[in-house]
Amino acid sequence: MTEGVPRRAAPGDGEAVRSCLEAGFSSRYDDARAASVLAALGEGASLVVEHGALVVGALVAHEVELTLPCLDGMRARCVSDLAVRPTHRRRGVLRALMGAALGQAHEQGEAIAVLGASEAGIYPRFGWGAATHTASYRVDRRSASLLASARPSPGTVALLEPGPASAVLPAVLDAARRRRAGEISRRPDAWPEVLAAGGDRQSAPCRFVAAYLDGGQVEGYALYEVRGAGEERREVVLVECATTGDAAYVALFGYLVGIDLTDALRTGERPVDEPVRHLLDDPRALETVGTSDGAWLRLIDARTCLERRGYSAAGRVVLEVHDATCPWNEGRWSIETDADGETDVTATTDPAEIELGASELAALYLGGTRATSLRSAGRVLEHERGAALRLDTLLYCDPVPFCTAL
Ligand SMILES: CC(C)(COP(=O)(O)OP(=O)(O)OC[C@H]1O[C@@H](n2cnc3c(N)ncnc32)[C@H](O)[C@@H]1OP(=O)(O)O)[C@@H](O)C(=O)NCCC(=O)NCCS
């Protein structure tokens, strides 16, 4: 018996999909995670592949809003979970799921999709590109103190209990995500998993929520744990931080590096332009301990995507796009923007200035990857001298794209 063609998954497939994902990732889904998958199945964008009655591959997707470089929001399809049973790998199940998912999304008028990749080698072949990047940091508390000039914050930092935290954090993240390209909305049913500490009750570290309040408004939060006990080195581990203004950012990082009885502040994945470095008396107290890719994008309808984003300069560039998985994107496209921010993206027969694949276009889309870097790496071809730099000038995005809620 061979694997069937992908079919749409429904909530009734919940247990079968959970079993496939658990086998695929070799880990158990806790109830909060399983509930989030079940809720996504209700949206009708998820797919399964069966072998007989057994679900052997599952792609779970739901709708989110993605912030574009102009800070407008665009509807995006987010692939949250994707796995093939270890017993059914390398037989084309992922390829079938991906082809069906992109085809279905295109038919339904979706222009863009987003995911977080478990391995960076899987998705470029399907036209996905890493559009945001992350860094994780360690701040040595022994040499870390805030610059005297660090702006005194008008508000206060308070610790929130889980109940109030779950009531206020979603609105803060929702406001914060609109301030940076690459951010996506988070579904309400995903919050319990974010707020719950991992591990069992005995071994789980304490998870705290520090909130920054000004005039009764919560303008930012830092979700953190304190790890290590007894003689062990204790570290503050920042799980997630979202702020709607600079005062909240300064106050929360000041708070985190000031927690007594800890040796260091260690962050999870954060933006590559994290400002905390510039808040420290001794910038060397901060060490970048890792970097990675963040949000991977797939431009399902490249023309719509290119039309919808804002550009940072007036100009024109002609791209030749190759896209085997979504062939409607193939061809030569002129992007022309004027000083008022009006953009025209049209098919053209003019000579191509830049030639690139769908994966490279997706990587460039938010301005988080440079065309000049991809040119140096041979990933884009520059047919007109200076065109890659011109494209970078058009695509430039500040602040650097980042995605908190993947
Ligand atoms: C990654 C995974 C989904 C691939 O599924 P699969 O059904 O074995 O993949 P396919 O047989 O359809 O392979 C499609 C292509 O991807 C390639 N590929 C598959 N897994 C890959 C990997 N981990 N790294 C790089 N390439 C990979 C295959 O070689 C094949 O390439 P080709 O067609 O150009 O020759 C599966 O191995 C899995 O479930 N892994 C564990 C969970 C996971 O990592 N999920 C991804 C979450 S983002």
Side-chain angles (χ1 to χ4, degrees):
M1 197 180 290
T2 56
E3 289 75 36
V5 293
R7 70 160 173 85
R8 187 174 291 193
D13 295 308
E15 274 311 306
V17 167
R18 178 179 181 166
S19 160
C20 174
L21 294 173
E22 288 183 340
F25 286 107
S26 305
S27 71
R28 291 278 165 231
Y29 272 40
D30 62 20
D31 288 344
R33 182 98 183 123
S36 171
V37 167
L38 194 62
L41 296 186
E43 287 191 24
S46 303
L47 299 169
V48 292
V49 167
E50 288 160 312
H51 183 122
L54 182 68
V55 169
V56 297
L59 180 155
V60 180
H62 62 274
E63 201 171 282
V64 294
E65 191 175 78
L66 168 74
T67 305
L68 300 179
C70 52
L71 300 186
D72 271 358
M74 180 158 78
R75 201 176 64 195
R77 189 154 287 187
C78 177
V79 178
S80 61
D81 301 78
L82 170 52
V84 173
R85 280 187 183 273
T87 47
H88 290 72
R89 289 196 180 143
R90 305 304 179 263
R91 302 184 196 178
V93 175
L94 166 63
R95 182 170 287 282
L97 282 168
M98 189 55 73
L102 294 174
Q104 180 205 61
H106 184 239
E107 276 168 25
Q108 294 172 351
E110 300 287 348
I112 198 160
V114 57
L115 59 72
S118 60
E119 290 177 69
I122 303 174
Y123 295 104
R125 78 191 69 237
F126 303 116
W128 295 77
T132 74
H133 299 273
T134 70
S136 37
Y137 306 95
R138 185 177 185 280
V139 181
D140 186 340
R141 284 202 60 234
R142 286 167 306 187
S143 48
S145 57
L146 246 49
L147 282 172
S149 59
R151 208 171 312 139
S153 303
T156 52
V157 173
L159 287 176
L160 299 186
E161 294 298 326
S166 61
V168 299
L169 267 49
V172 179
L173 179 65
D174 208 51
R177 74 172 174 85
R178 296 168 199 274
R179 294 162 45 91
R180 191 189 279 264
E183 296 281 14
I184 59 171
S185 53
R186 175 178 284 148
R187 298 153 51 97
D189 47 67
W191 274 99
E193 194 192 341
V194 175
L195 290 168
D200 58 44
R201 282 184 78 79
Q202 298 299 320
S203 64
C206 288
R207 192 166 274 204
F208 298 96
V209 177
Y212 175 79
L213 294 105
D214 187 10
Q217 292 287 319
V218 180
E219 294 185 353
Y221 65 84
L223 183 64
Y224 68 95
E225 294 175 351
V226 177
R227 295 192 191 154
E231 297 300 300
E232 241 184 281
R233 289 164 63 89
R234 299 183 88 216
E235 291 186 335
V236 176
V237 178
L238 180 63
V239 177
E240 181 170 298
C241 178
T243 55
T244 60
D246 294 340
Y249 181 89
V250 173
L252 286 169
F253 271 88
Y255 168 80
L256 292 168
V257 296
I259 295 176
D260 282 344
L261 305 177
T262 62
D263 297 317
L265 165 65
R266 189 179 282 276
T267 75
E269 295 187 334
R270 295 287 303 160
V272 293
D273 63 345
E274 189 73 277
V276 68
R277 180 189 307 276
H278 309 295
L279 281 174
L280 300 172
D281 265 324
D282 176 3
R284 290 188 189 175
L286 180 140
E287 187 190 351
T288 302
V289 290
T291 56
S292 192
D293 46 275
W296 287 67
L297 293 185
R298 205 325 166 176
L299 308 195
I300 299 167
D301 178 343
R303 180 183 184 164
T304 299
C305 290
L306 292 167
E307 258 168 5
R308 284 288 307 275
R309 65 151 285 168
Y311 293 84
S312 68
R316 180 174 187 262
V317 65
V318 177
L319 306 182
E320 174 96 36
V321 177
H322 300 291
D323 192 342
T325 315
C326 299
W328 49 87
N329 290 328
E330 286 268 344
R332 210 169 288 169
W333 300 98
S334 151
I335 307 171
E336 188 161 10
T337 67
D338 67 20
D340 298 326
E342 292 297 317
T343 304
D344 271 334
V345 178
T346 48
T348 181
T349 53
D350 290 353
E353 297 174 296
I354 299 276
E355 187 177 344
L356 75 180
S359 172
E360 287 71 25
L361 185 60
L364 294 173
Y365 179 63
L366 296 178
T369 302
R370 289 187 166 271
T372 46
S373 297
L374 293 184
R375 179 200 60 199
S376 298
R379 296 273 302 272
V380 308
L381 298 178
E382 185 183 59
H383 296 304
E384 175 75 26
R385 197 176 161 81
L389 182 57
R390 184 155 26 97
L391 180 59
D392 282 336
T393 307
L394 294 183
L395 296 176
Y396 176 78
C397 177
D398 180 67
V400 173
F402 180 71
C403 187
T404 303
L406 263 181

PDB file of all heavy atoms in Angstrom, residues 135-162:
ATOM      1  N   ALA A 135      19.328  36.283  17.489  1.00  0.00           N
ATOM      2  CA  ALA A 135      20.571  36.129  18.258  1.00  0.00           C
ATOM      3  C   ALA A 135      20.167  35.852  19.693  1.00  0.00           C
ATOM      4  O   ALA A 135      19.111  36.306  20.157  1.00  0.00           O
ATOM      5  CB  ALA A 135      21.411  37.399  18.179  1.00  0.00           C
ATOM      6  N   SER A 136      20.974  35.073  20.399  1.00  0.00           N
ATOM      7  CA  SER A 136      20.743  34.913  21.836  1.00  0.00           C
ATOM      8  C   SER A 136      21.971  35.445  22.562  1.00  0.00           C
ATOM      9  O   SER A 136      23.105  35.355  22.060  1.00  0.00           O
ATOM     10  CB  SER A 136      20.432  33.466  22.206  1.00  0.00           C
ATOM     11  OG  SER A 136      21.188  32.586  21.438  1.00  0.00           O
ATOM     12  N   TYR A 137      21.724  36.007  23.725  1.00  0.00           N
ATOM     13  CA  TYR A 137      22.757  36.769  24.419  1.00  0.00           C
ATOM     14  C   TYR A 137      22.912  36.277  25.859  1.00  0.00           C
ATOM     15  O   TYR A 137      21.984  35.712  26.445  1.00  0.00           O
ATOM     16  CB  TYR A 137      22.372  38.256  24.470  1.00  0.00           C
ATOM     17  CG  TYR A 137      22.057  38.860  23.121  1.00  0.00           C
ATOM     18  CD1 TYR A 137      20.740  38.935  22.666  1.00  0.00           C
ATOM     19  CD2 TYR A 137      23.067  39.355  22.299  1.00  0.00           C
ATOM     20  CE1 TYR A 137      20.441  39.494  21.428  1.00  0.00           C
ATOM     21  CE2 TYR A 137      22.767  39.921  21.061  1.00  0.00           C
ATOM     22  CZ  TYR A 137      21.455  39.988  20.637  1.00  0.00           C
ATOM     23  OH  TYR A 137      21.167  40.540  19.410  1.00  0.00           O
ATOM     24  N   ARG A 138      24.092  36.564  26.399  1.00  0.00           N
ATOM     25  CA  ARG A 138      24.331  36.336  27.827  1.00  0.00           C
ATOM     26  C   ARG A 138      24.940  37.616  28.387  1.00  0.00           C
ATOM     27  O   ARG A 138      25.922  38.138  27.833  1.00  0.00           O
ATOM     28  CB  ARG A 138      25.292  35.157  28.027  1.00  0.00           C
ATOM     29  CG  ARG A 138      25.493  34.796  29.481  1.00  0.00           C
ATOM     30  CD  ARG A 138      26.400  33.573  29.615  1.00  0.00           C
ATOM     31  NE  ARG A 138      26.496  33.167  31.004  1.00  0.00           N
ATOM     32  CZ  ARG A 138      27.279  33.737  31.903  1.00  0.00           C
ATOM     33  NH1 ARG A 138      28.060  34.747  31.559  1.00  0.00           N
ATOM     34  NH2 ARG A 138      27.288  33.317  33.150  1.00  0.00           N
ATOM     35  N   VAL A 139      24.325  38.119  29.436  1.00  0.00           N
ATOM     36  CA  VAL A 139      24.864  39.315  30.090  1.00  0.00           C
ATOM     37  C   VAL A 139      25.426  38.874  31.439  1.00  0.00           C
ATOM     38  O   VAL A 139      24.695  38.326  32.277  1.00  0.00           O
ATOM     39  CB  VAL A 139      23.771  40.386  30.311  1.00  0.00           C
ATOM     40  CG1 VAL A 139      24.364  41.619  30.972  1.00  0.00           C
ATOM     41  CG2 VAL A 139      23.107  40.759  28.994  1.00  0.00           C
ATOM     42  N   ASP A 140      26.716  39.085  31.633  1.00  0.00           N
ATOM     43  CA  ASP A 140      27.372  38.716  32.891  1.00  0.00           C
ATOM     44  C   ASP A 140      27.034  39.783  33.927  1.00  0.00           C
ATOM     45  O   ASP A 140      27.452  40.932  33.803  1.00  0.00           O
ATOM     46  CB  ASP A 140      28.886  38.650  32.651  1.00  0.00           C
ATOM     47  CG  ASP A 140      29.617  38.122  33.868  1.00  0.00           C
ATOM     48  OD1 ASP A 140      29.046  38.165  34.985  1.00  0.00           O
ATOM     49  OD2 ASP A 140      30.754  37.673  33.702  1.00  0.00           O
ATOM     50  N   ARG A 141      26.287  39.388  34.935  1.00  0.00           N
ATOM     51  CA  ARG A 141      25.803  40.385  35.897  1.00  0.00           C
ATOM     52  C   ARG A 141      26.933  40.993  36.727  1.00  0.00           C
ATOM     53  O   ARG A 141      26.802  42.093  37.258  1.00  0.00           O
ATOM     54  CB  ARG A 141      24.763  39.773  36.836  1.00  0.00           C
ATOM     55  CG  ARG A 141      23.421  39.609  36.178  1.00  0.00           C
ATOM     56  CD  ARG A 141      22.336  39.530  37.223  1.00  0.00           C
ATOM     57  NE  ARG A 141      22.287  40.727  38.050  1.00  0.00           N
ATOM     58  CZ  ARG A 141      22.342  40.723  39.376  1.00  0.00           C
ATOM     59  NH1 ARG A 141      22.475  39.607  40.043  1.00  0.00           N
ATOM     60  NH2 ARG A 141      22.275  41.851  40.049  1.00  0.00           N
ATOM     61  N   ARG A 142      28.081  40.261  36.836  1.00  0.00           N
ATOM     62  CA  ARG A 142      29.169  40.810  37.685  1.00  0.00           C
ATOM     63  C   ARG A 142      29.727  42.087  37.089  1.00  0.00           C
ATOM     64  O   ARG A 142      30.183  42.970  37.794  1.00  0.00           O
ATOM     65  CB  ARG A 142      30.289  39.766  37.841  1.00  0.00           C
ATOM     66  CG  ARG A 142      29.909  38.635  38.785  1.00  0.00           C
ATOM     67  CD  ARG A 142      30.871  37.520  38.654  1.00  0.00           C
ATOM     68  NE  ARG A 142      30.974  37.087  37.246  1.00  0.00           N
ATOM     69  CZ  ARG A 142      31.642  36.035  36.811  1.00  0.00           C
ATOM     70  NH1 ARG A 142      32.322  35.330  37.660  1.00  0.00           N
ATOM     71  NH2 ARG A 142      31.654  35.703  35.544  1.00  0.00           N
ATOM     72  N   SER A 143      29.695  42.202  35.742  1.00  0.00           N
ATOM     73  CA  SER A 143      30.241  43.417  35.144  1.00  0.00           C
ATOM     74  C   SER A 143      29.164  44.260  34.469  1.00  0.00           C
ATOM     75  O   SER A 143      29.472  45.184  33.736  1.00  0.00           O
ATOM     76  CB  SER A 143      31.339  43.060  34.145  1.00  0.00           C
ATOM     77  OG  SER A 143      30.891  42.048  33.285  1.00  0.00           O
ATOM     78  N   ALA A 144      27.911  43.896  34.703  1.00  0.00           N
ATOM     79  CA  ALA A 144      26.837  44.618  34.011  1.00  0.00           C
ATOM     80  C   ALA A 144      26.170  45.637  34.921  1.00  0.00           C
ATOM     81  O   ALA A 144      25.651  45.281  35.970  1.00  0.00           O
ATOM     82  CB  ALA A 144      25.795  43.628  33.509  1.00  0.00           C
ATOM     83  N   SER A 145      26.235  46.871  34.508  1.00  0.00           N
ATOM     84  CA  SER A 145      25.394  47.872  35.171  1.00  0.00           C
ATOM     85  C   SER A 145      24.909  48.811  34.082  1.00  0.00           C
ATOM     86  O   SER A 145      25.564  48.983  33.042  1.00  0.00           O
ATOM     87  CB  SER A 145      26.172  48.631  36.242  1.00  0.00           C
ATOM     88  OG  SER A 145      27.300  49.230  35.661  1.00  0.00           O
ATOM     89  N   LEU A 146      23.763  49.387  34.345  1.00  0.00           N
ATOM     90  CA  LEU A 146      23.176  50.265  33.331  1.00  0.00           C
ATOM     91  C   LEU A 146      23.905  51.598  33.309  1.00  0.00           C
ATOM     92  O   LEU A 146      24.289  52.126  34.367  1.00  0.00           O
ATOM     93  CB  LEU A 146      21.700  50.488  33.662  1.00  0.00           C
ATOM     94  CG  LEU A 146      20.673  49.915  32.695  1.00  0.00           C
ATOM     95  CD1 LEU A 146      20.953  48.467  32.362  1.00  0.00           C
ATOM     96  CD2 LEU A 146      19.274  50.096  33.253  1.00  0.00           C
ATOM     97  N   LEU A 147      24.109  52.165  32.150  1.00  0.00           N
ATOM     98  CA  LEU A 147      24.700  53.494  32.018  1.00  0.00           C
ATOM     99  C   LEU A 147      23.893  54.496  32.844  1.00  0.00           C
ATOM    100  O   LEU A 147      22.666  54.422  32.872  1.00  0.00           O
ATOM    101  CB  LEU A 147      24.627  53.943  30.553  1.00  0.00           C
ATOM    102  CG  LEU A 147      25.646  53.357  29.588  1.00  0.00           C
ATOM    103  CD1 LEU A 147      25.284  53.766  28.169  1.00  0.00           C
ATOM    104  CD2 LEU A 147      27.030  53.871  29.946  1.00  0.00           C
ATOM    105  N   ALA A 148      24.623  55.415  33.466  1.00  0.00           N
ATOM    106  CA  ALA A 148      23.921  56.431  34.253  1.00  0.00           C
ATOM    107  C   ALA A 148      22.977  57.235  33.357  1.00  0.00           C
ATOM    108  O   ALA A 148      21.935  57.716  33.801  1.00  0.00           O
ATOM    109  CB  ALA A 148      24.944  57.363  34.906  1.00  0.00           C
ATOM    110  N   SER A 149      23.353  57.328  32.084  1.00  0.00           N
ATOM    111  CA  SER A 149      22.516  58.123  31.168  1.00  0.00           C
ATOM    112  C   SER A 149      21.292  57.357  30.680  1.00  0.00           C
ATOM    113  O   SER A 149      20.480  57.897  29.942  1.00  0.00           O
ATOM    114  CB  SER A 149      23.353  58.561  29.971  1.00  0.00           C
ATOM    115  OG  SER A 149      23.859  57.419  29.318  1.00  0.00           O
ATOM    116  N   ALA A 150      21.181  56.062  31.058  1.00  0.00           N
ATOM    117  CA  ALA A 150      20.006  55.294  30.609  1.00  0.00           C
ATOM    118  C   ALA A 150      18.765  56.042  31.082  1.00  0.00           C
ATOM    119  O   ALA A 150      18.653  56.369  32.265  1.00  0.00           O
ATOM    120  CB  ALA A 150      20.039  53.884  31.174  1.00  0.00           C
ATOM    121  N   ARG A 151      17.902  56.291  30.158  1.00  0.00           N
ATOM    122  CA  ARG A 151      16.739  57.137  30.417  1.00  0.00           C
ATOM    123  C   ARG A 151      15.943  56.647  31.625  1.00  0.00           C
ATOM    124  O   ARG A 151      15.533  55.483  31.675  1.00  0.00           O
ATOM    125  CB  ARG A 151      15.835  57.045  29.181  1.00  0.00           C
ATOM    126  CG  ARG A 151      14.996  58.241  28.928  1.00  0.00           C
ATOM    127  CD  ARG A 151      14.326  58.084  27.565  1.00  0.00           C
ATOM    128  NE  ARG A 151      15.280  57.672  26.535  1.00  0.00           N
ATOM    129  CZ  ARG A 151      15.019  56.766  25.600  1.00  0.00           C
ATOM    130  NH1 ARG A 151      13.865  56.160  25.565  1.00  0.00           N
ATOM    131  NH2 ARG A 151      15.929  56.461  24.694  1.00  0.00           N
ATOM    132  N   PRO A 152      15.729  57.491  32.645  1.00  0.00           N
ATOM    133  CA  PRO A 152      14.890  57.030  33.746  1.00  0.00           C
ATOM    134  C   PRO A 152      13.456  56.845  33.247  1.00  0.00           C
ATOM    135  O   PRO A 152      12.937  57.687  32.528  1.00  0.00           O
ATOM    136  CB  PRO A 152      14.965  58.171  34.770  1.00  0.00           C
ATOM    137  CG  PRO A 152      15.501  59.342  34.043  1.00  0.00           C
ATOM    138  CD  PRO A 152      16.164  58.886  32.783  1.00  0.00           C
ATOM    139  N   SER A 153      12.872  55.707  33.580  1.00  0.00           N
ATOM    140  CA  SER A 153      11.543  55.413  33.057  1.00  0.00           C
ATOM    141  C   SER A 153      10.490  56.038  33.961  1.00  0.00           C
ATOM    142  O   SER A 153      10.604  55.954  35.190  1.00  0.00           O
ATOM    143  CB  SER A 153      11.350  53.903  32.992  1.00  0.00           C
ATOM    144  OG  SER A 153      12.364  53.344  32.192  1.00  0.00           O
ATOM    145  N   PRO A 154       9.463  56.615  33.384  1.00  0.00           N
ATOM    146  CA  PRO A 154       8.428  57.239  34.220  1.00  0.00           C
ATOM    147  C   PRO A 154       7.546  56.214  34.922  1.00  0.00           C
ATOM    148  O   PRO A 154       6.915  56.538  35.928  1.00  0.00           O
ATOM    149  CB  PRO A 154       7.606  58.050  33.213  1.00  0.00           C
ATOM    150  CG  PRO A 154       7.852  57.417  31.882  1.00  0.00           C
ATOM    151  CD  PRO A 154       9.222  56.826  31.951  1.00  0.00           C
ATOM    152  N   GLY A 155       7.507  54.999  34.418  1.00  0.00           N
ATOM    153  CA  GLY A 155       6.596  54.007  34.970  1.00  0.00           C
ATOM    154  C   GLY A 155       7.259  53.108  35.993  1.00  0.00           C
ATOM    155  O   GLY A 155       8.348  53.388  36.492  1.00  0.00           O
ATOM    156  N   THR A 156       6.588  51.989  36.303  1.00  0.00           N
ATOM    157  CA  THR A 156       7.106  51.050  37.304  1.00  0.00           C
ATOM    158  C   THR A 156       7.066  49.629  36.743  1.00  0.00           C
ATOM    159  O   THR A 156       6.288  49.345  35.825  1.00  0.00           O
ATOM    160  CB  THR A 156       6.233  51.064  38.574  1.00  0.00           C
ATOM    161  OG1 THR A 156       4.872  50.862  38.175  1.00  0.00           O
ATOM    162  CG2 THR A 156       6.362  52.364  39.340  1.00  0.00           C
ATOM    163  N   VAL A 157       7.894  48.770  37.349  1.00  0.00           N
ATOM    164  CA  VAL A 157       7.878  47.352  36.983  1.00  0.00           C
ATOM    165  C   VAL A 157       7.174  46.593  38.097  1.00  0.00           C
ATOM    166  O   VAL A 157       7.457  46.806  39.278  1.00  0.00           O
ATOM    167  CB  VAL A 157       9.314  46.820  36.783  1.00  0.00           C
ATOM    168  CG1 VAL A 157       9.294  45.311  36.562  1.00  0.00           C
ATOM    169  CG2 VAL A 157       9.983  47.523  35.603  1.00  0.00           C
ATOM    170  N   ALA A 158       6.232  45.739  37.733  1.00  0.00           N
ATOM    171  CA  ALA A 158       5.495  44.937  38.719  1.00  0.00           C
ATOM    172  C   ALA A 158       5.463  43.493  38.254  1.00  0.00           C
ATOM    173  O   ALA A 158       5.447  43.219  37.048  1.00  0.00           O
ATOM    174  CB  ALA A 158       4.069  45.468  38.848  1.00  0.00           C
ATOM    175  N   LEU A 159       5.467  42.575  39.223  1.00  0.00           N
ATOM    176  CA  LEU A 159       5.325  41.157  38.876  1.00  0.00           C
ATOM    177  C   LEU A 159       3.842  40.808  38.808  1.00  0.00           C
ATOM    178  O   LEU A 159       3.085  41.159  39.708  1.00  0.00           O
ATOM    179  CB  LEU A 159       6.023  40.283  39.916  1.00  0.00           C
ATOM    180  CG  LEU A 159       7.549  40.286  39.863  1.00  0.00           C
ATOM    181  CD1 LEU A 159       8.127  39.455  41.006  1.00  0.00           C
ATOM    182  CD2 LEU A 159       8.058  39.752  38.517  1.00  0.00           C
ATOM    183  N   LEU A 160       3.450  40.132  37.736  1.00  0.00           N
ATOM    184  CA  LEU A 160       2.045  39.750  37.575  1.00  0.00           C
ATOM    185  C   LEU A 160       1.874  38.270  37.879  1.00  0.00           C
ATOM    186  O   LEU A 160       2.692  37.443  37.462  1.00  0.00           O
ATOM    187  CB  LEU A 160       1.577  39.992  36.138  1.00  0.00           C
ATOM    188  CG  LEU A 160       1.613  41.418  35.594  1.00  0.00           C
ATOM    189  CD1 LEU A 160       0.978  41.452  34.198  1.00  0.00           C
ATOM    190  CD2 LEU A 160       0.896  42.383  36.526  1.00  0.00           C
ATOM    191  N   GLU A 161       0.791  37.934  38.545  1.00  0.00           N
ATOM    192  CA  GLU A 161       0.416  36.535  38.751  1.00  0.00           C
ATOM    193  C   GLU A 161      -0.135  35.994  37.418  1.00  0.00           C
ATOM    194  O   GLU A 161      -0.536  36.777  36.548  1.00  0.00           O
ATOM    195  CB  GLU A 161      -0.640  36.437  39.851  1.00  0.00           C
ATOM    196  CG  GLU A 161      -0.140  36.833  41.239  1.00  0.00           C
ATOM    197  CD  GLU A 161       0.998  35.928  41.724  1.00  0.00           C
ATOM    198  OE1 GLU A 161       0.982  34.722  41.400  1.00  0.00           O
ATOM    199  OE2 GLU A 161       1.916  36.436  42.403  1.00  0.00           O
ATOM    200  N   PRO A 162      -0.169  34.656  37.263  1.00  0.00           N
ATOM    201  CA  PRO A 162      -0.594  34.091  35.972  1.00  0.00           C
ATOM    202  C   PRO A 162      -1.961  34.578  35.487  1.00  0.00           C
ATOM    203  O   PRO A 162      -2.138  34.850  34.299  1.00  0.00           O
ATOM    204  CB  PRO A 162      -0.620  32.579  36.244  1.00  0.00           C
ATOM    205  CG  PRO A 162       0.341  32.387  37.377  1.00  0.00           C
ATOM    206  CD  PRO A 162       0.294  33.620  38.208  1.00  0.00           C
TER     207      PRO A 162
END
